[in-house]
Amino acid sequence: MSWTKVLSVDALAPGAREVVKVGDRKILLLNHEGQMYAVDNACPHLKLSLKKGKIVGGAIVCPWHRSAFDLSTGAAKDWSPWPPVMGKVMGMVSQEKPLSVFPTRVEEGSIWIDVN
């Protein structure tokens, strides 16, 4: 594992979210119910930001397409595909895909993630 220190624990209050950049990735950090989560900040549909997504039952819900992804595993819990009238191109991007999640740890007053 290759851990990267990304943020002070004090900078991410309970219920807060913050997007950090690690290399060329934008990672969404969430402090939810005493647990730190790190997920790709791009919904697998069209790579739109998840920062404003609601947290429901341990999943983040895409504010654009209403697909839900488990915060721990990234698995799609509820996939909202594009309607067939959107055509073949949209049909290709509507195939169910998991959200990338990254291991986190809190150490020395900082949040660390492993993006490898």
Side-chain angles (χ1 to χ4, degrees), residues 8-28:
S8 164
V9 171
D10 296 336
L12 198 66
R17 303 158 189 224
E18 189 70 39
V19 176
V20 296
K21 193 164 182 182
V22 179
D24 62 348
R25 294 179 186 239
K26 290 183 181 177
I27 308 294
L28 176 61

Side-chain angles (χ1 to χ4, degrees), residues 5-60:
K5 182 167 55 170
V6 292
L7 199 64
S8 164
V9 171
D10 296 336
L12 198 66
R17 303 158 189 224
E18 189 70 39
V19 176
V20 296
K21 193 164 182 182
V22 179
D24 62 348
R25 294 179 186 239
K26 290 183 181 177
I27 308 294
L28 176 61
L29 295 175
L30 303 106
N31 184 346
H32 178 67
E33 296 182 351
Q35 178 71 37
M36 298 292 180
Y37 296 96
V39 301
D40 192 344
N41 187 43
C43 176
H45 262 119
L46 292 175
K47 305 296 182 197
L48 297 170
S49 174
L50 290 172
K51 187 172 182 180
K52 293 187 180 188
K54 293 180 182 176
I55 307 296
V56 178
I60 187 164

Side-chain angles (χ1 to χ4, degrees), residues 24-104:
D24 62 348
R25 294 179 186 239
K26 290 183 181 177
I27 308 294
L28 176 61
L29 295 175
L30 303 106
N31 184 346
H32 178 67
E33 296 182 351
Q35 178 71 37
M36 298 292 180
Y37 296 96
V39 301
D40 192 344
N41 187 43
C43 176
H45 262 119
L46 292 175
K47 305 296 182 197
L48 297 170
S49 174
L50 290 172
K51 187 172 182 180
K52 293 187 180 188
K54 293 180 182 176
I55 307 296
V56 178
I60 187 164
V61 180
C62 176
W64 309 99
H65 307 105
R66 294 181 296 284
S67 295
F69 303 92
D70 186 280
L71 284 172
S72 296
T73 67
K77 294 177 74 173
D78 183 23
W79 187 258
S80 299
W82 290 96
V85 297
M86 296 299 286
K88 240 182 188 177
V89 172
M90 287 296 133
M92 289 187 299
V93 297
S94 73
Q95 295 172 1
E96 186 173 313
K97 298 174 190 169
L99 178 66
S100 295
V101 297
F102 307 97
T104 63

